[in-house]
Amino acid sequence: MEKRGQFTSKFGFIMASIGSAIGLGNLWGFPYKAGMGGGFAFILVYLIFVGLVGFPIMLCEFAIGRKARVNQIDAYRKFDKRFTIAGVAGTIAAFFILAFYGVLGGWVVNYAVKYGINLFSSTNTIPQPQQYFNDFVSNGASALIFFIIFMVLTVFIVIGGVENGIEKASKIMMPILFLFLILIIVRSLTLPGASKGIEFLFKPDFSKLTPSTLGMALSQMFFSLSLGIGAMITYGSYLSNDDNIQSSAIIVPLLDTVAAILAGLAIFPAVFALGLEPTQGPSLMFITLPAIFNQMYMGNVFGFMFFVLILFAALSSSIALLEIASSFFMEHFKLKRKVIIPIIAAIITLWGTPVALSFGVLGDVKVLGMGFLDFYDFIGEYVLMTFGALAISILIGWVLKPKMVIDEMEQNGKFRFMGKKYFSFTIKFIAPILILAVMIMSITSMI
Ligand code: TRP
């Protein structure tokens, strides 16, 4: 069997973990949800959720992964056979999430290439964003080709292994992402009328904190921190015992949240300065933003920077997803990385094909009343991820007991665990209760 990979430095590990965390969720989800969900009030609740639920669960995932040093299915099985199902759920979730994430990644590649080609031309790259987007996504062939290109890029990195693929790529992509984000913020904030965007993002409105916004904040937090589907178990399993997992479980959520707020500062001041409507998701990325770049001095340059930034965010998440989807098969069946990674990626590409085609020929097909993109997102992000997060908090809080994580963190006294009581209490009570409450709320809201 191939030697098990290991991150070569704490910096590399942090970059890979925040690479997995920072993704489309931060860029096109968080800012809009914050703006609509009560501005600073939403951000405050989000931060409280990060502290009460995100941090302890991330710590558990790191600890389980590092202690077991295997893929998540075998890791769960090792600790308690009954929880094997949580590892299986996480692995399946990675297939679902990557299937639609890859399609979106393909769209981003198309735009990055488009802006890249026209970087030095003085004309607008995408003069009619709405038209361009509709034509592109409804044309099944182009959506599929760019989806495949994105998956090939992902395979190309993951096949290099943990040190030479995932770690190296993250160490390059993440700093560039932050740099571009800051350059774009400077541009966006200096546009006349930018302050309205700041107001949209931050003006506190506590009356907006309804049960449904609270649920939205909690699932946004899980998705954004890549929790509940074993991403951090997988990365943690490649971590050396010389590293402090407690500080990582603080730094990663912190940087992820900073990136989400920075994304809001990059996008919404410009949206409001140009008198456009705030939106989220695909229409924000692929229609509203290009419309902004059209009117901006050096718009092609900023457009190119922006789409490269989004591409890096998406790729550093997709490599984590592909690693999670593959690691069980790689280890359990002792298959070579070079062989199994392209196979799993091909299966996911087939699995994602209905999503890629769902804006064209398959536009009328609905599953449980949803288009394919929403359906895959629903299964991966809501059903399996919530299940996984609940399972891990019960496993650690009640079955293995918090001490297991504390011991794994302290490494026989090498490190000192700050806030043992805080961790034990949140993982035993707060995390499962909050997750259950949100589950019940969203089920009742569906019936
Ligand atoms: N955190 C990613 C984002 O914000 C999405 C994501 C969810 C993810 N779960 C994951 C990425 C697991 C990698 C691994 O877009």
Side-chain angles (χ1 to χ4, degrees), residues 83 389-401 427 432 436:
F83 282 76
L390 188 61
I392 203 166
S393 60
I394 292 173
L395 177 68
I396 298 292
W398 299 93
V399 182
L400 302 173
K401 302 286 151 70
I427 201 67
L436 274 174

Side-chain angles (χ1 to χ4, degrees), residues 420-431:
K420 286 181 197 165
K421 285 212 179 95
Y422 175 83
F423 168 71
S424 308
F425 183 72
T426 49
I427 201 67
K428 263 182 120 114
F429 299 106
I430 310 274

Side-chain angles (χ1 to χ4, degrees), residues 242-386:
D242 297 328
D243 285 312
N244 180 335
I245 51 174
Q246 188 181 22
S247 65
S248 303
I250 294 172
I251 295 170
V252 174
L254 210 62
L255 284 178
D256 183 70
T257 309
V258 167
I261 294 173
L262 289 182
L265 283 176
I267 296 169
F268 284 116
V271 169
F272 281 89
L274 297 174
L276 299 171
E277 284 296 312
T279 52
Q280 71 167 339
S283 61
L284 173 66
M285 286 291 128
F286 301 108
I287 299 169
T288 310
L289 285 174
I292 291 172
F293 297 130
N294 282 345
Q295 296 181 45
M296 194 182 259
Y297 173 63
M298 297 212 308
N300 283 344
V301 176
F302 282 102
F304 178 66
M305 273 205 284
F306 205 89
F307 281 100
V308 169
L309 180 169
I310 305 171
L311 180 62
F312 283 0
L315 255 183
S316 58
S317 294
S318 66
I319 57 180
L321 288 162
L322 184 56
E323 182 71 19
I324 310 171
S326 317
S327 61
F328 168 73
F329 302 97
M330 200 150 56
E331 283 179 354
H332 200 84
F333 302 108
K334 304 194 178 21
L335 296 167
K336 281 210 161 58
R337 191 173 268 278
K338 276 208 256 350
V339 178
I340 191 67
I341 296 287
I343 294 177
I344 299 283
I347 294 171
I348 292 175
T349 309
L350 281 178
W351 191 234
T353 298
V355 180
L357 300 180
S358 66
F359 298 85
V361 283
L362 297 183
D364 295 329
V365 184
K366 299 271 177 269
V367 193
L368 298 182
M370 293 175 253
F372 280 103
L373 177 71
D374 289 339
F375 176 65
Y376 280 38
D377 186 27
F378 173 73
I379 298 286
E381 183 178 346
Y382 294 96
V383 181
L384 297 172
M385 190 180 78
T386 320

Side-chain angles (χ1 to χ4, degrees), residues 194-209:
S195 61
K196 281 210 213 83
I198 310 248
E199 207 173 286
F200 170 75
L201 209 55
F202 294 115
K203 194 167 178 226
D205 180 353
F206 284 89
S207 69
K208 294 245 175 78
L209 294 181

Side-chain angles (χ1 to χ4, degrees), residues 168 261 291 403:
K168 217 179 237 169
I261 294 173
K403 186 161 182 320

Side-chain angles (χ1 to χ4, degrees), residues 84-260:
T84 314
I85 179 90
V88 175
T91 306
I92 295 175
F95 278 77
F96 272 95
I97 295 179
L98 186 50
F100 76 81
Y101 217 85
V103 172
L104 302 173
W107 297 357
V108 178
V109 174
N110 178 285
Y111 277 65
V113 169
K114 184 98 181 138
Y115 276 103
I117 290 173
N118 288 328
L119 204 46
F120 301 104
S121 90
S122 54
T123 54
N124 286 333
T125 307
I126 301 177
Q128 263 147 4
Q130 177 93 50
Q131 179 84 34
Y132 180 83
F133 179 68
N134 291 348
D135 289 348
F136 171 61
V137 296
S138 60
N139 177 340
S142 61
L144 208 51
I145 289 169
F146 281 94
F147 174 30
I148 294 171
I149 295 175
F150 182 81
M151 292 302 287
V152 169
L153 288 174
T154 307
V155 167
F156 185 72
I157 299 174
V158 178
I159 231 173
V162 176
E163 303 90 330
N164 293 319
I166 295 172
E167 179 172 348
K168 217 179 237 169
S170 307
K171 281 202 285 201
I172 299 169
M173 290 194 288
M174 286 301 112
I176 295 179
L177 180 146
F178 275 98
L179 176 72
F180 281 7
L181 205 47
I182 287 169
L183 291 176
I184 294 167
I185 289 176
V186 171
R187 172 72 281 213
S188 178
L189 283 180
T190 49
L191 292 168
S195 61
K196 281 210 213 83
I198 310 248
E199 207 173 286
F200 170 75
L201 209 55
F202 294 115
K203 194 167 178 226
D205 180 353
F206 284 89
S207 69
K208 294 245 175 78
L209 294 181
T210 58
S212 94
T213 27
L214 295 183
M216 196 164 76
L218 192 71
S219 53
Q220 169 72 21
M221 189 275 291
F222 280 125
F223 187 75
S224 188
L225 295 184
S226 304
L227 295 175
I229 70 162
M232 300 303 168
I233 298 183
T234 311
Y235 276 6
S237 78
Y238 303 129
L239 188 61
S240 128
N241 284 348
D242 297 328
D243 285 312
N244 180 335
I245 51 174
Q246 188 181 22
S247 65
S248 303
I250 294 172
I251 295 170
V252 174
L254 210 62
L255 284 178
D256 183 70
T257 309
V258 167

